[in-house]
Amino acid sequence: MLRPFALHRPGTAEEACGLLARLGDDAVPYAGGTELLLLMKLGLLRPRHLIDVKRVAGFDAITDGARLTLGAAVTHRAVERSPLVGRHCALLAAVARHVANVRVRNVGTVGGNLAFADPHSDLATLFLTLDATVELVSGRGRRELPLTDFVRGAWETARAPDELLASVRLTPWPSGTAATYVKFGVHERPTLGVALALCRAAAGARVGEARLAIGCVDARPARVPAAEARLTGVAVAELEDVAGAVAEAAAAAVDPADDLHGSADYKRAMVAVFVRRALRIAAARARGDVAPAARFPHAVVA
Amino acid sequence: MSARPLRVVGRPLARIDAIEKVTGRARYVTDLVLPGMAHARVLRSPYAHARLARVETGRARALPGVVAVLAGADLTWCDPYFGPAFRDRPILAIDVARHEGEPVAAVAAVDEATAAAALELIDVDYEPLAAALTLEDALAPGAPLVHTREPLAGHFADLSSLRPRPGTNVCHQFHFARGDAATALASADLVVEDTFRFPAVQHYAMEPHAAVAAWDETGGLTVWASTQNPYSVRVELAKMFDVPLARIRIVVPHLGGGFGSKTYAKLEPLAAALAHAAGRPVRLAASAAEAFQTVRRCSARVTMRVGFGGDGTLAAVHCDAQYDVGAYADIGPRVVQKATYTATGPYRVPHVDLGGAAVYTNTTPGGAFRGFGVPQLAWALESLFDVAADRLGRDPIDLRRHNLLGHGEAFAPGDTPIDGKFEESLGRAAEAIGWTLAGAADRGRGLATMLKASIGPSVSEAIVRLHADGSVSVLASAVEMGQGTRTVLAQIAAEVLAVALARVVVVTPDTAITPYDQTTSSSRSTTMTGRAVQAAAEDVREQLLRVGSEALGLPASDLALEDGAIVTATRRLAYPEVLARRFGMAGGELIGRGVVAPGRSAAPLGGSTPFWEMAVGAAEVSVDEETGAVSVERYVSVADVGRAVNPLLLEGQDEGGVVQGLGHTLFEEMAYADGHLLNGTLLLYRVPRADDVPALECRFVENADGAGPFGAKGAGEGSLVPVSPAVANALARLTGVRLRDLPLTPERVWRALRARERRAPGAI
Amino acid sequence: MIDAGARVPIRLVVNGRARELAVATHALLLDVLRDDLDLKGAKRSCDSQVCGACTVLVDGLAVSACTYLAVEADGCAVLTVEGLAEGDTLHPIQRAFVDAGAVQCGFCTAGMLLTARALLDEHAAPTREQVLHYLRGSLCRCTGYRKIVEAIVAAGGGDR
Ligand SMILES: Cc1cc2nc3c(=O)[nH]c(=O)nc-3n(C[C@H](O)[C@H](O)[C@H](O)COP(=O)(O)OP(=O)(O)OC[C@H]3O[C@@H](n4cnc5c(N)ncnc54)[C@H](O)[C@@H]3O)c2cc1C
Ligand code: FES
Ligand code: FES
């Protein structure tokens, strides 16, 4: 059961931002509502005005160019099925396919996921390896900032109350990139997400650049530069040799807390385990192995 | 009756309510709408234990649209206490709230939104009290007392022997001894002993509790309730509101699952009180989150010592079981008593010393849940059996077989002898899981058994009516909660009366119409209600034959019933004609009555079990050693059911039981911190999903040796009980690691595996 | 803008029948279907998009009606369990559920059927894996799922 609110359905970003500015604390953006309506049903949030962002022109678009742009109101389902996403970043489509359940994917949006900044999210973790930036609009203008700066902590972002998240921009990996995303956990939301991309790492070559992001265990997802450094320049055939060091570096970089998902020790150990596994999968992909996809209990491999 | 092959019983028929369910027409309590019906909401305690210094409802009462507001102090016009074991649970907290989520005040209003708004206008001053949150807390010397005065005796005579231990949190203790366990253990060749823990688990019946209550102009009360035992609810309401039984009507539409969560009164007293105060019908529908605060499975700590002779013969079992029954006893004391009595499982044990205690804590009340206390004890016993087999160098199946009670053997003096063939179940399970075949190196197999008594003594009555057109009504009060009881009862009546299943209607339980039935629980309906229906149908059959015999001028022994008619070698008299002969017109009906009332016996619990529920489970598991994630790859359940009245439904029951068992084996646990439930919603409480289900085979042993109709006996709980020990035994055989605490979460298993590595580097 | 508390007219086609209604912005689709249209087939259980008991199809897509504003369905076709059968003829997926014994208490059934229907609309003959993937958000506490999965695969013409 929800409490009454006024619903605004602006058709342009200007209009939407004007409403946010004018209504201040009383208003919140509303997309699919999969998070927002839950909070409102519980009475944890009681906005007087909802600003529907789904009709804002351009917000539901997926476009390509130098970068792949996902409008804030693009649903997980649309990401999963988009030919453009498939062409530029097939792994993203595969990850979208495993977000939540089919109903949440049908209505939940990319923008809602990022703006809500739940620590147990898949997208932000993966996006960090795609050098994501987010575009924010307000009556004061537009700004673009790196996703790392946007997500500040658990349920905390750099978005000002009068700003809307307009889109997220991704830089697709260069060709010859081997990548994977692995998530693990028995709960409804993932306990751990590991995104790994080995760029310019064709069979027989050396890893040109590595990107590793860990999500869900800390308040916000983060890249692991120390681990990435251990991977860069390593011959694809020898990746296994550094797996231990990379996993260790990743485990050392996280600072988890004890909670329902497990103890801090356990989570840190799982970071090491799944970084190693992700590396093995990505290395196999780099070598062009067409071995059947790895399967681990309570884990999803994309 | 000449023995003829069964036509309806024993066949895998689609359930008779399937069409209404797949078309969305089946009605559940929350689907009902009454004219003028108000909607209720409940204000619940945020504290595990608190004194209610002030509950101010004035502002809520003044809100337009509010039709009733109640707090504990307002309930002076009725007896506000209820509970089957003790009347320790108030409709709304009086002076003290004893668990987080306990109802403190309630509002009925024209709609739910208004009721919710009114709740926010109720001011409560809580004075937090020291709380006993765990078994350890509650049993410690000087522990905060959950109840400070001795609770009132319950309304049920068969539970009147229960006694709390004054000045402690122990609300009931049960002891059962035979022989001299201490001496036998002292001289046993092998004694295995350990302490096992079983978590608090939420039933999560998909339909949360709901009740719609309405008082009528005669002072009568009707409650449409999601309850498994309308007649128990009726007794409680009659006493609480001082209304004769005949003026109380409990109607039970379809239940969206029960699993024990809907036994005995839950929300019905509050709905009735609100309807009384409001002077109009009130609908009280709990949310799923509120169900978590209403009832749960009793968590337990079980210390067991099991002694064997050198040849593997069981010498003695000592058991000390503590069950956490939460803030109100509900049926917890009986859970403890009944389960402790059968703590030795299906084995022959000369010396037993079995103790069980029900302990109050400041948490959600614990009550009945599929298995009724037995899973907690089987977890200990069946784990220890494998430990013993290891120590004795025996095959675990072999060791069990060596000690099994045989068909017809006494379980305890005065109680029903064992009425099934365990040997056969064990053999079938072993074969199906491929026990003696070499398995993959990364798989482990384990097995466990269970034995459970049903409720005794217990009473079931039924009425069967044969109408002028030859169709049949079955009136019985066994509740359809998904287990298929309506279909099974219809099959029994159709079989006896030789009519098509489609011609039989099973009437919705309604205490004003359908006769007494004690409870829909304890896997008893097919046996007890089924026998009552069978007897009632046989009564109709006798009447038919009497009329037919007169009409045809032949002795009844020359007549048979076939296809809705009385037949002889040469003649056929359809039922409508028989009835027309009987009444001389196209009206009237034949009414048959069936009663099953075994009464009290010399059995240790005061009544013999009508049958023994017996099952064996075998699991094949693998483990991801790096994460501790256990995968149950295959599972076989074999239940000794006497006869499967409907194999399709029974298979479904057992499949559901296994998967529910996998829940508490692998993930499920209500987690508390500082008296707050941390995972009281499905976003955080994980129940099994479709992709958790192993390759699953549920099979039956059928020797038609049960006490129910056509040799059937109860089933549906058995498949759940062996799951945890079977999985843990498989895990132990695979990894050498023995876990004592459920659930076997990845982290718990991972920790155990790491501890093993530290103990024995390099060992597997 | 639609004011708080104001009722907005919406037009839907529910189970093939055009409906015009006035709903508040905060009305949930589940409540509108159940209370205003008396379609009680969709159930409320978890109320948090996890269990699927409230599943209905909006323009062919499965949504959790417990957490979906009714105004969002304006102009859409809504399919509930009541609209699956054609008159007295069950939809093949309903038939398959009946025959496979995939129904027990029935509280999850409407959601299961509609989820299956959406899956079959996408993949006429789904594999077991596809079925399991689609059922990630559909819980059943009674059946143990085996017969449900079997029924959906069978309805798609696949092996049992
Ligand atoms: C049961 C369940 C399981 C889930 N499992 C997963 C999972 O496995 N992995 C995963 O990654 N996620 C998971 N999620 C999260 C899911 O991805 C998000 O719920 C969804 O993407 C949110 O999108 P929405 O459009 O519904 O957001 P809304 O609920 O509409 O909004 C969410 C928040 O973002 C704000 N907001 C929305 N759009 C904008 C905008 N354009 N600009 C500024 N602020 C905005 C809102 O004000 C609100 O605070 C799960 C969710 C649920 C309910
Ligand atoms: S009730 Fe909507 S998903 Fe559970
Ligand atoms: S049949 Fe009861 S929840 Fe699925």
Side-chain angles (χ1 to χ4, degrees):
Chain A
M1 204 200 44
L2 292 166
R3 288 166 186 79
F5 52 79
L7 180 63
H8 304 259
R9 291 168 151 175
T12 64
E14 291 65 38
E15 212 185 315
C17 294
L19 286 164
L20 282 177
R22 181 159 61 78
L23 299 168
D25 282 353
D26 281 347
V28 296
Y30 153 74
T34 57
E35 300 284 14
L36 184 64
L37 298 181
L38 272 185
L39 294 184
M40 290 169 59
K41 281 199 281 190
L42 292 172
L44 296 175
L45 209 66
R46 301 180 172 198
R48 304 243 292 270
H49 299 266
L50 293 198
I51 318 295
D52 186 355
V53 301
K54 293 191 293 296
R55 300 180 182 202
V56 172
F59 270 32
D60 64 350
I62 300 180
T63 54
D64 63 349
R67 308 185 71 194
L68 180 65
T69 303
L70 309 178
V74 168
T75 61
H76 301 293
R77 177 190 174 84
V79 173
E80 181 186 342
R81 276 143 214 274
S82 155
L84 283 183
V85 172
R87 183 158 353 119
H88 295 289
C89 192
L91 185 70
L92 170 55
V95 169
R97 182 178 139 77
H98 289 284
V99 167
N101 60 47
V102 63
R103 299 183 308 280
V104 172
R105 291 195 292 275
N106 285 343
V107 293
T109 64
V110 171
N113 182 300
L114 296 179
F116 194 59
D118 188 298
H120 297 276
S121 146
D122 297 309
L123 298 190
T125 310
L126 178 66
F127 287 172
L128 288 182
T129 67
L130 289 159
D131 285 341
T133 56
V134 296
E135 185 194 6
L136 294 165
V137 293
S138 70
R140 294 168 286 131
R142 288 184 179 253
R143 58 176 180 143
E144 190 166 341
L145 70 169
L147 184 61
T148 32
D149 296 341
F150 178 70
V151 181
R152 286 202 169 146
W155 304 287
E156 199 191 323
T157 68
R159 183 178 76 84
D162 66 339
E163 278 181 316
L164 272 187
L165 180 60
S167 67
V168 55
R169 295 195 174 137
L170 309 172
T171 311
W173 298 307
S175 62
T177 296
T180 186
Y181 179 81
V182 185
K183 64 168 160 176
F184 170 69
V186 296
H187 294 278
E188 179 61 29
R189 296 280 186 114
T191 294
L192 164 67
V194 174
L196 175 67
L198 304 174
C199 303
R200 299 188 302 281
R206 287 175 183 281
V207 174
E209 186 196 346
R211 299 179 194 165
L212 173 67
I214 309 293
C216 306
V217 286
D218 282 329
R220 62 190 195 120
R223 291 269 291 265
V224 190
E228 292 172 348
R230 300 298 305 247
L231 285 164
T232 307
V234 175
V236 166
E238 287 157 17
L239 281 168
E240 191 66 32
D241 301 344
V242 295
V246 171
E248 234 168 78
V254 295
D255 184 19
D258 296 350
D259 61 18
L260 273 179
H261 287 265
S263 69
D265 287 357
Y266 180 67
K267 284 190 252 183
R268 187 173 290 116
M270 290 309 104
V271 167
V273 168
F274 281 98
V275 164
R276 227 180 296 122
R277 289 176 174 184
L279 183 57
R280 212 166 294 143
I281 294 162
R285 287 179 184 171
R287 290 193 304 268
D289 283 2
V290 280
R295 297 185 83 136
F296 310 108
H298 303 309
V300 171
V301 176
Chain B
M1 183 183 74
S2 55
R4 56 174 169 75
L6 300 176
R7 299 162 309 111
V8 192
V9 162
R11 292 183 50 203
L13 302 172
R15 46 188 313 137
I16 61 172
D17 53 11
I19 303 294
E20 65 199 88
K21 284 178 173 172
V22 296
T23 52
R25 292 197 293 257
R27 284 292 169 263
Y28 301 77
V29 173
T30 47
D31 299 336
L32 301 177
V33 179
L34 298 184
M37 181 171 84
H39 298 261
R41 281 287 188 124
V42 181
L43 184 70
R44 292 171 178 271
S45 169
Y47 295 100
H49 199 190
R51 221 176 64 75
L52 307 177
R54 188 178 66 103
V55 183
E56 179 50 61
T57 55
R59 287 199 301 145
R61 283 176 210 280
L63 187 72
V66 168
V67 297
V69 180
L70 290 179
D74 301 323
L75 299 169
T76 50
W77 49 276
C78 61
D79 173 354
Y81 290 98
F82 68 106
F86 305 117
R87 283 183 298 134
D88 57 357
R89 194 170 190 166
I91 294 177
L92 294 163
I94 296 175
D95 300 330
V96 179
R98 296 185 176 83
H99 67 94
E100 183 191 33
E102 175 164 5
V104 167
V107 174
V110 290
D111 54 33
E112 278 200 73
T114 308
L119 287 190
E120 306 202 334
L121 301 177
I122 298 176
D123 295 313
V124 184
D125 291 345
Y126 295 94
E127 289 172 4
L129 299 170
L133 299 170
T134 62
L135 280 170
E136 285 76 10
D137 285 358
L139 292 170
L145 292 183
V146 179
H147 294 267
T148 46
R149 50 161 218 199
E150 184 162 341
L152 308 163
H155 291 306
F156 301 94
D158 58 324
L159 290 165
S160 58
S161 63
L162 304 175
R163 286 287 172 276
R165 211 161 77 201
T168 72
N169 286 312
V170 175
C171 80
H172 179 61
Q173 265 180 311
F174 173 76
H175 190 234
F176 178 61
R178 180 172 63 229
D180 179 355
T183 308
L185 282 167
S187 59
D189 294 316
L190 171 72
V191 176
V192 289
E193 166 174 8
D194 223 322
T195 297
F196 294 82
R197 285 176 174 279
F198 200 101
V201 181
Q202 177 53 217
H203 304 75
Y204 208 84
M206 288 283 280
E207 173 203 37
H209 303 85
V212 176
W215 293 83
D216 63 31
E217 58 288 354
T218 70
L221 169 64
T222 302
V223 185
W224 289 263
S226 65
T227 180
Q228 294 176 228
N229 32 13
Y231 276 93
S232 306
V233 171
R234 187 181 69 153
V235 171
E236 296 238 54
L237 295 178
K239 297 261 168 81
M240 296 170 81
F241 298 107
D242 193 20
V243 179
L245 292 177
R247 283 215 193 282
I248 300 195
R249 212 176 145 183
I250 310 294
V251 188
V252 189
H254 283 292
L255 248 63
F259 316 117
S261 65
K262 295 168 183 168
T263 49
Y264 301 101
K266 294 286 187 289
L267 299 184
E268 298 84 356
L270 178 54
L274 280 168
H276 194 275
R280 55 202 273 185
V282 168
R283 172 188 194 265
L284 175 52
S287 66
E290 289 178 304
F292 276 84
Q293 299 172 326
T294 302
V295 64
R296 61 170 172 86
R297 193 192 283 281
C298 302
S299 45
R301 182 176 66 182
V302 181
T303 303
M304 230 184 240
R305 261 190 298 153
V306 186
F308 291 85
D311 67 345
T313 305
L314 264 169
V317 173
H318 182 278
C319 169
D320 177 13
Q322 290 148 358
Y323 287 79
D324 175 345
V325 300
Y328 295 105
D330 196 288
I331 196 64
R334 172 132 72 189
V335 169
V336 173
Q337 177 162 313
K338 269 198 67 207
T340 306
Y341 169 58
T342 58
T344 48
Y347 307 110
R348 188 181 305 114
V349 193
H351 304 280
V352 303
D353 184 344
L354 312 174
V359 182
Y360 283 130
T361 62
N362 293 110
T363 61
T364 296
F369 190 155
R370 204 174 197 170
F372 211 67
V374 173
Q376 292 89 322
L377 298 179
W379 167 233
L381 178 70
E382 289 296 308
S383 294
L384 285 175
F385 237 91
D386 266 39
V387 173
D390 240 22
R391 301 265 292 276
L392 292 165
R394 292 281 293 266
D395 177 85
I397 292 191
D398 200 35
L399 185 65
R400 286 179 171 82
R401 194 176 280 131
H402 181 77
N403 289 290
L404 281 178
L405 289 164
H407 196 282
E409 202 171 332
F411 174 82
D415 212 333
T416 307
I418 295 299
D419 56 356
K421 296 183 176 150
F422 251 110
E423 186 69 37
E424 199 177 328
S425 300
L426 201 58
R428 294 264 305 270
E431 192 190 327
I433 204 77
W435 188 259
T436 53
L437 307 176
D442 59 352
R443 299 273 180 105
R445 297 189 190 126
L447 175 140
T449 68
M450 67 77 67
L451 176 80
K452 179 182 176 291
S454 184
I455 187 172
S458 79
V459 175
S460 286
E461 301 188 59
I463 292 168
V464 169
R465 298 163 59 190
L466 178 68
H467 301 285
D469 64 353
S471 64
V472 175
S473 301
V474 173
L475 282 72
S477 297
V479 169
E480 177 58 63
M481 50 189 177
Q483 84 282 40
T485 200
R486 285 194 196 180
T487 305
V488 163
L489 297 180
Q491 282 181 269
I492 291 167
E495 188 68 58
V496 173
L497 291 172
V499 297
L501 188 60
R503 302 287 285 165
V504 182
V505 170
V506 181
V507 175
T508 297
D510 176 339
T511 58
I513 297 168
T514 58
Y516 183 84
D517 198 34
Q518 190 157 324
T519 168
T520 307
S521 63
S522 217
S523 305
R524 68 183 287 284
S525 301
T526 297
T527 304
M528 303 301 280
T529 320
R531 261 167 56 194
V533 168
Q534 184 183 27
E538 281 167 358
D539 185 353
V540 171
R541 190 182 59 196
E542 297 312 312
Q543 297 177 44
L544 270 172
L545 290 174
R546 222 178 300 131
V547 179
S549 147
E550 253 170 54
L552 298 170
L554 288 168
S557 54
D558 287 0
L559 309 180
L561 303 189
E562 214 177 274
D563 233 350
I566 295 177
V567 293
T568 70
T570 53
R571 300 199 42 195
R572 187 172 190 284
L573 203 56
Y575 294 165
E577 294 172 62
V578 182
L579 267 83
R581 300 272 181 118
R582 163 71 181 80
F583 296 105
M585 54 180 283
E589 61 185 39
L590 300 184
I591 301 178
R593 174 156 180 252
V595 180
V596 180
R600 299 181 76 75
S601 79
L605 293 184
S608 307
T609 181
F611 61 89
W612 293 100
E613 188 161 2
M614 304 170 27
V616 176
E620 184 172 292
V621 312
S622 66
V623 64
D624 181 343
E625 293 238 357
E626 288 186 317
T627 63
V630 174
S631 303
V632 180
E633 309 277 359
R634 290 172 58 216
Y635 194 91
V636 175
S637 164
V638 181
D640 191 325
V641 300
R643 179 193 295 281
V645 175
N646 186 324
L648 182 68
L649 297 191
L650 194 55
E651 191 180 59
Q653 274 295 288
D654 275 2
E655 289 175 2
V658 169
V659 173
Q660 202 160 45
L662 284 174
H664 64 239
T665 301
L666 298 177
F667 329 110
E668 290 186 44
E669 171 165 32
M670 287 168 67
Y672 284 89
D674 307 325
H676 299 295
L677 179 61
L678 300 179
N679 55 350
T681 81
L682 272 200
L683 286 165
L684 299 166
Y685 184 89
R686 169 72 146 77
V687 301
R689 297 190 301 245
D691 55 354
D692 296 315
V693 177
L696 185 55
E697 278 176 53
C698 291
R699 303 182 172 194
F700 311 110
V701 168
E702 293 182 84
N703 293 313
D705 50 1
F710 309 100
K713 57 179 185 158
E717 296 179 272
S719 67
L720 172 141
V721 178
V723 175
S724 313
V727 168
N729 287 341
L731 184 66
R733 280 160 60 89
L734 176 65
T735 63
V737 160
R738 167 69 49 194
L739 281 110
R740 296 164 198 83
D741 295 352
L742 289 175
L744 308 176
T745 58
E747 176 163 359
R748 196 166 266 156
V749 174
W750 175 80
R751 286 193 181 284
L753 289 168
R754 293 212 322 167
R756 173 201 66 185
E757 261 134 43
R758 281 196 298 274
R759 281 197 310 274
I764 285 298
Chain C
M1 165 178 119
I2 308 165
D3 280 326
R7 292 192 159 249
V8 235
I10 58 170
R11 291 157 180 264
L12 342 163
V13 176
V14 182
N15 300 332
R17 184 167 152 210
R19 301 281 206 154
E20 288 187 31
L21 294 166
V23 300
T25 53
H26 64 284
L28 293 164
L29 180 58
L30 182 60
D31 295 322
V32 169
L33 291 171
R34 286 179 52 88
D35 299 342
D36 298 357
L37 298 178
D38 200 27
L39 295 167
K40 305 283 193 193
K43 303 297 183 205
R44 174 174 273 119
S45 181
C46 73
D47 210 20
S48 53
Q49 307 165 90
V50 178
C51 78
C54 64
T55 304
V56 300
L57 306 192
V58 175
D59 280 349
L61 294 186
V63 305
S64 308
C66 69
T67 315
Y68 189 85
L69 299 184
V71 290
E72 296 287 1
D74 188 13
C76 297
V78 176
L79 182 67
T80 73
V81 68
E82 289 88 347
L84 272 180
E86 303 262 354
D88 282 343
T89 311
L90 296 183
H91 185 275
I93 185 66
Q94 290 172 307
R95 189 75 257 163
F97 267 55
V98 172
D99 293 344
V103 179
Q104 290 190 20
C105 80
F107 214 73
C108 71
T109 304
M112 288 286 178
L113 289 168
L114 289 160
T115 306
R117 165 70 192 263
L119 169 63
L120 291 169
D121 288 348
E122 278 185 54
H123 305 280
T127 62
R128 222 184 103 77
E129 270 57 49
Q130 284 170 323
V131 172
L132 293 181
H133 178 71
Y134 232 79
L135 291 186
R136 165 66 154 73
S138 299
L139 300 181
C140 171
R141 197 59 158 162
C142 298
T143 62
Y145 300 103
R146 201 179 80 95
K147 296 184 190 309
I148 291 177
V149 173
E150 206 174 81
I152 299 174
V153 172
D159 291 342
R160 297 192 61 167

